[in-house]
Amino acid sequence: MKKLFLVATAIVLAGCSSQTANPQPSDSPGGTVTVIAHDSFVMTDQQINDFKAATGITIELIQAGDAGTMVSSAILTAGSPSADVMFGIDNTLSAKAVNSGVFEPYESQASGTFKSEFQNLTAGGHLTPVDFGDVCVNFDKKFFAANSLAVPTSLADLTSKQYSGLLVTQDPGTSSPGLAFLLATIATFGDEWPTYWEQLRANNVKVAGSWSDAYFSDFTAGGGNGAYPLVVSYATSPAAEAVYAETELSEVGTGSMTAGCFRQIEFAGILRGSDNVAASRLVVDFLVSKEFQSSVAESMFVYPVRQDVALPDAFTRFAAEVRNPLSLPSEVIDVNLDAWLTAWDAVMKN
Amino acid sequence: MGCGDEKLKRPWWISASAVIPVLVVGVLVVVPIYNLVKMIIALPTSGIFSIGVLASLGIILFQTLTIATLTAVGAVLAGLPLSYILARYSVKHRKFIQALVLTPFVLPTVVTGIAIKGLVGSAVSQGLWLILIGHVYVNLAVVVRIVTPVWEAMDQRFIYAARSLGASGWRLTRTIVWPLIRSAVWRAYGIVFVFGASSLGLVLILGDGRWQTFEVAILRQISVLVNFQIAAVFAVVQLLLVLIVLGITSRRRVVARAARHGVHDRKPLTKSVAARVALYVYVIALIIPLLWLVKTSVTLDGSVGFSAWISVLTENEILESISVDNVFMTTLKVAALTAVISMLVGGAAAMTTLGSRLTANLGKTGFVTLGISSVTLGLALLVTVTRPPFEFDRSLWLIAVTHSLVALPLVMAQVQPLLQSVDARLLTAAASLGAHPFAAYKTAYGKVARTSLLSAASVSAAVSLGEFGAASFLGGYDQPTLAVTILRVLSKPSEYSLAFAAALSVMLAAMTLLVSLGFDSVSESEHRKVRHD
């Protein structure tokens, strides 16, 4: 028993030694900036160290789960926030957060380098766009070739009989791409969107609980024993397949529809009540700097907002170029989301 | 009339033991939840109590109760035979089987869900029945770990006596065996019920969207609608439901006192074909999903490929800034810390059952974490521990404490029935022979406490290995545990991701087996010391 006690003490001391440093509030640049992000955010140790070497600012990262949890915590603590900078709030939730007084106004000086459609996208001077992606229907090329079936090219196509029982999407109440797909149909069909979903349902669409479930269990090209060659995913998923493959791929087995895609834009903002606003501004600038922007494609599979950043090879070869993405104004989404989800439930779950 | 029922004056430290669970639960659960509720109330309300919300509340309540009841009944029915076999037959690889039973409990629900869908999904379509299969599979461990030790501790002289008086079969079970294991079975039922009621991952993966639990409903309100007022209402109802169920199923029931040197013979397995067959069925059912994971980890692009394993065992490329051995070390450290903390906190919490009614009731706060929605607790911790005045340093220590909180109900559920089954006359006997109260308690309860705590420690370590929810942000971005890493891998679209996640899951299962075998070996050697003195 004594031995067990000694071992236990050693273990406890080992745990103690890996504590992270206590952030010191400071008014001048320098000090620590806490960045709260969702679980898909990637910032490498290299980038954090480089930034510290250049500015003396230490970035501490909190990964708060999904975007909804992150934004919830910010709204609840508006004015005395858990962090200094938030990254990853997207256009479905931005209006709600801005209206709740979550952010400190700041517009990055670098906005002149953004692609034109992002230059004035600041939600009244509160947010800075950092990256974007498109949620599109992906298809398994092998399946369509083997069955001599043409790949669908529009949302309307998905309701035709030849694609019956081939599409899997996600529940918009629990999945971000699932929500984006619903918004795409609303943007396309306006008030008639419930009819579209009735047709999808009649065409045996499957609704999965999460993206990973749909992609890995149901998608025929996901590695599991899936039976659905059409899945709602990202325009960059085919590029991801190429990057993560064990050998260099000259072509990828999946492709993406380029119509019916919904654009998701991710923003960063300074939280109102932060005690290190000056340093936080530098961190936001860093997120839209050339160095960071050239990493977002490969690490998060999203597109940078800057136009002077080169895309990785896999993107230019395999990611679909979406020329006319669909979108809805944040305010409109904020006001109607509850009603839309209730209506969707009524169509799909009865 | 029990002549051993005169009470020894209760030493202060039994009553004081209630302080520890109250303190830990208070600081890490009550304060953050209170903080969260305060913030929610401060916001302008917007018609939360509309008819629509009340109607959906009723539906969700019905669905939660259905899923929870069927899960608990199913798990108990499935688990009791295995508990019986492990308790009363001499099974050659019992430690391995006990460890194997824990693995489904530990694997992240996403992985278990995908595995079950992959195996059974073509025969059973998604919906209530597939959810139940998944739930029973995962919760079998709870029933077996709680009921088996109590069944083992049962003095068989009662059975021999009853048999010699002519009782047999069903009558024997009903009048002799059941009263002795009843309290443990109810405890297990209550905990599985609560796990079923707060299930999230398996309902999302194995369901068809028509069945929800409160946890799913809360997630929908927070993750997309950011409607935490309605989420809070759901969380409160969930908590009330859980408190009621736990209150009903963990009332202290009078258990016939088992004499210390009772008879605990085990029958040889060769004597019963049914037992042997049943054991094989159990082992196969438990191993098949693990085999599926192994198969998936070496399947790349339709044929066999080992690059997932090569990546796991050397430097991995998928997550550039995190090395795999870093992940393993973090996971083991946290699990070890959790086991240590659990033994201390859980031990104190379990001791409260020996105290007065007040002490015992205060000790029951240890069960409260079962009832708090993990989505809600995560949000509460996020807004509390990152801001003054409750700002905590994020560290492995903090994760371990949170994991111990999650494991606390299981520790208490394992240790308390065993403490209750010890004959209190031992205590009075020791005291009347002049022993100091501390020595008297140590003599009566010490060894039971030690062995059951060690066994509970392995459950806590297992819980820690598989935990990824509320606590994952508490340790810092660059120190993810294995379960968190598996989830990150499953967010990257690639065939390779699934193989890689499967390989990591196999490693996780292997770790669980090792940890469980390790603790149980130590506890076995302690147990042997008991038999020989």
Side-chain angles (χ1 to χ4, degrees):
Chain A
M1 213 51 202
K2 208 180 191 178
K3 226 189 255 183
L4 190 60
F5 177 69
L6 286 174
V7 171
T9 317
I11 291 172
V12 163
L13 290 176
C16 281
S17 63
S18 29
Q19 271 180 342
T20 54
N22 217 347
Q24 298 290 328
S26 152
D27 263 315
S28 53
T32 307
V33 168
T34 311
V35 175
I36 189 169
H38 52 55
D39 281 345
S40 309
F41 181 62
V42 176
M43 184 183 270
T44 60
D45 283 344
Q46 182 69 35
Q47 288 170 324
I48 294 179
N49 292 335
D50 288 348
F51 185 68
K52 180 161 189 184
T55 60
I57 301 171
T58 311
I59 292 180
E60 245 189 52
L61 215 42
I62 299 181
Q63 293 209 284
D66 63 18
T69 309
M70 177 182 73
V71 173
S72 299
S73 73
I75 293 179
L76 286 169
T77 58
S80 60
S82 311
D84 302 298
V85 171
M86 178 191 289
F87 168 82
I89 180 168
D90 76 0
N91 36 336
T92 56
L93 290 172
S94 53
K96 196 173 209 123
V98 170
N99 293 340
S100 305
V102 165
F103 297 107
E104 169 92 17
Y106 176 63
E107 290 184 48
S108 173
Q109 308 290 358
S111 54
T113 61
F114 298 170
K115 302 188 167 82
S116 52
E117 62 263 40
F118 299 110
Q119 280 184 11
N120 289 313
L121 214 59
T122 60
H126 288 99
L127 294 173
T128 305
V130 176
D131 62 67
F132 65 95
D134 296 304
V135 172
C136 308
V137 174
N138 279 197
F139 51 81
D140 175 7
K141 290 183 193 164
K142 270 186 232 158
F143 178 93
F144 284 91
N147 290 286
S148 309
L149 209 52
V151 161
T153 52
S154 70
L155 288 178
D157 270 356
L158 296 171
T159 58
S160 59
K161 278 292 153 238
Q162 55 182 331
Y163 303 119
S164 169
L166 298 185
L167 172 67
V168 57
T169 180
Q170 300 90 9
D171 187 331
T174 53
S175 159
S176 163
L179 176 61
F181 183 66
L182 172 61
L183 295 175
T185 62
I186 296 175
T188 306
F189 300 105
D191 288 332
E192 302 301 311
W193 69 265
T195 316
Y196 176 74
W197 279 91
E198 276 161 25
Q199 291 168 341
L200 274 186
R201 187 180 172 177
N203 217 22
N204 300 308
V205 67
K206 179 169 187 184
V207 178
S210 68
W211 176 87
S212 52
D213 186 25
Y215 202 89
F216 294 115
S217 290
D218 297 318
F219 187 38
T220 48
N225 293 334
Y228 295 79
L230 293 167
V231 65
V232 170
S233 185
Y234 297 89
T236 50
S237 300
E241 293 269 1
V243 168
Y244 293 136
E246 56 166 333
T247 50
E248 185 83 25
L249 288 184
S250 56
E251 61 170 64
V252 207
T254 61
S256 166
M257 252 170 60
T258 51
C261 295
F262 191 82
R263 175 142 294 181
Q264 288 184 324
I265 305 168
E266 290 192 313
F267 298 88
I270 302 178
L271 295 171
R272 182 171 64 89
S274 154
D275 47 25
N276 203 349
V277 175
S280 302
R281 291 194 183 123
L282 294 177
V283 172
V284 173
D285 288 342
F286 175 64
L287 291 174
V288 292
S289 69
K290 235 176 148 183
E291 186 204 341
F292 189 76
Q293 291 270 302
S294 48
S295 74
V296 298
E298 269 210 13
S299 55
M300 298 190 275
F301 283 91
V302 289
Y303 289 89
V305 293
R306 280 180 85 115
Q307 50 188 347
D308 55 353
V309 168
L311 291 172
D313 199 41
F315 268 54
T316 38
R317 287 163 70 197
F318 303 121
E321 198 192 328
V322 178
R323 293 228 174 80
N324 299 305
L326 298 161
S327 70
L328 290 167
S330 287
E331 292 287 351
V332 171
I333 298 178
D334 184 32
V335 167
N336 293 294
L337 195 51
D338 222 317
W340 285 339
L341 285 179
T342 310
W344 185 89
D345 274 351
V347 170
M348 297 304 290
K349 293 189 180 177
N350 291 318
Chain B
M1 175 185 115
C3 58
D5 286 346
E6 309 107 13
K7 289 190 169 57
L8 183 69
K9 179 164 174 277
R10 211 169 271 115
W12 65 271
W13 42 268
I14 290 274
S15 310
S17 64
V19 166
I20 295 185
V22 168
L23 202 62
V24 174
V25 170
V27 168
L28 276 169
V29 176
V30 174
V31 166
I33 296 280
Y34 173 69
N35 212 14
L36 180 67
V37 170
K38 233 177 33 174
M39 289 176 187
I40 292 179
I41 290 178
L43 291 167
T45 56
S46 44
I48 1 170
F49 297 113
S50 65
I51 298 285
V53 174
L54 286 175
S56 57
L57 189 65
I59 295 176
I60 299 170
L61 184 61
F62 169 73
Q63 291 185 335
T64 303
L65 286 173
T66 309
I67 291 179
T69 310
L70 291 175
T71 300
V73 168
V76 166
L77 288 178
L80 279 182
L82 185 57
S83 293
Y84 171 64
I85 295 173
L86 288 175
R88 298 287 292 282
Y89 286 92
S90 63
V91 175
K92 213 159 55 151
H93 302 291
R94 82 175 36 253
K95 287 201 300 258
F96 172 72
I97 295 178
Q98 290 266 31
L100 190 59
V101 164
L102 260 188
T103 44
F105 189 69
V106 168
L107 290 175
T109 46
V110 178
V111 172
T112 317
I114 292 183
I116 289 184
K117 250 208 320 194
L119 283 169
V120 181
S122 41
V124 180
S125 57
Q126 282 181 235
L128 183 62
W129 294 110
L130 197 59
I131 293 177
L132 291 176
I133 290 177
H135 279 177
V136 168
Y137 180 69
V138 164
N139 285 297
L140 198 64
V142 177
V143 174
V144 172
R145 294 299 280 218
I146 290 179
V147 175
T148 308
V150 174
W151 215 326
E152 273 175 341
M154 182 167 63
D155 189 347
Q156 281 159 40
R157 288 180 293 182
F158 289 120
I159 299 187
Y160 297 152
R163 276 226 188 94
S164 71
L165 288 169
S168 67
W170 175 243
R171 186 157 187 180
L172 189 67
T173 312
R174 188 169 51 89
T175 56
I176 305 292
V177 177
W178 174 244
L180 292 173
I181 58 170
R182 186 173 52 192
S183 132
V185 173
W186 275 118
R187 272 279 164 86
Y189 179 89
I191 291 186
V192 175
F193 185 97
V194 169
F195 280 160
S198 34
S199 174
L200 181 58
L202 287 177
V203 174
L204 285 178
I205 296 182
L206 302 175
D208 57 2
R210 288 199 180 81
W211 286 89
Q212 294 190 75
T213 57
F214 274 110
E215 198 71 36
V216 173
I218 292 171
L219 182 71
R220 289 185 108 222
Q221 292 299 326
I222 289 193
S223 77
V224 163
L225 291 167
V226 187
N227 217 337
F228 24 72
Q229 282 145 336
I230 298 189
V233 170
F234 288 162
V236 167
V237 177
Q238 178 177 350
L239 179 60
L240 287 174
L241 173 66
V242 166
L243 289 176
I244 292 173
V245 168
L246 288 178
I248 296 174
T249 57
S250 60
R251 280 205 311 260
R252 222 196 306 205
R253 286 158 202 275
V254 174
V255 174
R257 309 294 162 93
R260 188 180 178 196
H261 291 294
V263 171
H264 306 281
D265 289 339
R266 290 205 177 111
K267 300 178 265 196
L269 204 50
T270 44
K271 274 200 144 183
S272 169
V273 175
R276 271 211 311 269
V277 168
L279 203 56
Y280 280 133
V281 168
Y282 274 111
V283 171
I284 291 174
L286 287 169
I287 277 199
I288 283 189
L290 297 177
L291 292 178
W292 185 91
L293 282 175
V294 172
K295 174 190 154 254
T296 307
S297 67
V298 296
T299 307
L300 283 170
D301 210 9
S303 58
V304 176
F306 291 98
S307 41
W309 279 101
I310 295 174
S311 288
V312 165
L313 299 169
T314 61
E315 196 66 39
N316 83 81
E317 294 118 30
I318 274 202
L319 301 169
E320 300 117 41
S321 54
I322 298 159
S323 75
V324 176
D325 29 278
N326 190 347
V327 170
F328 284 140
M329 282 315 295
T330 307
T331 307
L332 284 173
K333 271 193 216 169
V334 173
L337 280 174
T338 304
V340 169
I341 298 171
S342 278
M343 281 199 282
L344 293 171
V345 178
M351 270 206 300
T352 59
T353 197
L354 301 174
S356 65
R357 205 186 191 87
L358 173 65
T359 310
N361 283 331
L362 282 178
K364 285 193 188 152
T365 52
F367 285 108
V368 118
T369 49
L370 283 177
I372 311 279
S373 147
S374 61
V375 174
T376 313
L377 184 58
L379 186 56
L381 284 172
L382 188 55
V383 302
T384 307
V385 306
T386 47
R387 300 158 66 238
F390 303 112
E391 204 163 348
F392 290 150
D393 282 341
R394 290 185 294 143
S395 68
L396 294 187
W397 238 107
L398 196 53
I399 308 188
V401 174
T402 318
H403 285 182
S404 337
L405 262 187
V406 175
L408 188 56
L410 291 171
V411 172
M412 288 173 67
Q414 264 202 263
V415 178
Q416 281 183 343
L418 286 174
L419 287 179
Q420 283 168 1
S421 70
V422 171
D423 193 341
R425 286 176 293 177
L426 285 169
L427 203 54
T428 17
S432 69
L433 288 169
H436 181 272
F438 184 73
Y441 271 89
K442 187 157 165 260
T443 315
Y445 295 104
K447 297 204 161 101
V448 165
R450 268 218 301 276
T451 57
S452 60
L453 268 183
L454 281 170
S455 165
S458 73
V459 171
S460 328
V463 164
S464 169
L465 287 175
E467 203 30 52
F468 58 85
S472 55
F473 79 92
L474 289 172
Y477 170 67
D478 52 351
Q479 290 180 311
T481 57
L482 195 46
V484 169
T485 307
I486 291 173
L487 285 174
R488 284 195 194 166
V489 169
L490 283 177
S491 68
K492 314 226 179 271
S494 164
E495 266 197 305
Y496 189 58
S497 299
L498 188 60
F500 196 62
L504 289 176
S505 303
V506 171
M507 295 296 293
L508 185 56
M511 259 196 222
T512 310
L513 286 169
L514 286 173
V515 163
S516 175
L517 284 171
F519 274 110
D520 285 351
S521 295
V522 178
S523 131
E524 274 269 308
S525 61
E526 292 278 337
H527 189 63
R528 272 193 219 110
K529 283 194 222 153
V530 177
R531 313 278 302 270
H532 284 128
D533 64 342

